[in-house]
Amino acid sequence: MKINALIIFTRNPQLGMVKTRLAKTIGDEKALQVYTDLLSHTMNVTQQLTCDKFVFYDEIIVNNDGWTDDFFYKRKQLGVDLGARMQHAFEQLFEMGYQKCIIIGSDLFDLSANHIQEAFQKLDNADVVLGPAEDGGYYLLGLKKVIPSVFINKHWGTSSVLTDTLKDLENHQVECIETLNDIDTFEDLEKSKYYQKRQQPNGKV
């Protein structure tokens, strides 16, 4: 029986196309390196989880990369905006028979396997599980069925996303896990465990 599925949304790591807000401070090449490291961290965190794992690429599916076929299924994101793409991914997996689905991005050095495991556990008794982000969005969403209102009428990438989502879920049982810092700007990077470990004497990554 198919029970748990993890959706991982990624961007194809291309110079000038990832972490564009961060790149305004540290440049395109360093921003690409940060994102490449974020992808590696997400791979390592999720690889050994005991659930089926699906990587959804934003542009093209890459066959020979770190997301090995031994651990990950590969799909392409489809939809006009982030909400539509997320909804489409959830719909695919629920149609395949999964009972609990969780989606994460690839923007958190603070993410651990325990956060994802906790979210699956909370879905046993909740309708929805959210992992709030410090910037007012969320880094994790867990569902047992598609709730269309979650995916529409949101200003994606802004500080209102979590609040607006919770308003849409007032008639559902919602659980939250730990609030974490996702990395979109240099200020986010400075607060991350990654920056603290790799900080150089001149204060640059």
Side-chain angles (χ1 to χ4, degrees), residues 114-128:
N114 288 337
H115 292 112
I116 299 168
Q117 291 167 341
E118 179 186 1
F120 275 123
Q121 291 169 359
K122 285 183 178 294
L123 273 176
D124 287 339
N125 300 309
D127 301 322
V128 183

Side-chain angles (χ1 to χ4, degrees), residues 61-118:
I61 295 173
V62 181
N63 291 318
N64 298 310
D65 60 1
W67 304 100
T68 65
D69 294 340
D70 292 337
F71 299 101
F72 302 98
Y73 302 101
K74 299 184 177 185
R75 300 287 189 274
K76 187 178 181 299
Q77 298 174 30
L78 297 173
V80 296
D81 64 9
L82 178 59
R85 294 195 297 269
M86 290 196 295
Q87 181 169 345
H88 182 266
F90 274 105
E91 287 173 345
Q92 277 192 56
L93 298 194
F94 284 128
E95 287 171 4
M96 291 170 65
Y98 291 99
Q99 298 176 23
K100 295 186 288 183
C101 295
I102 286 173
I103 190 169
I104 60 170
S106 45
D107 299 318
L108 291 103
F109 286 112
D110 298 342
L111 181 70
S112 72
N114 288 337
H115 292 112
I116 299 168
Q117 291 167 341
E118 179 186 1

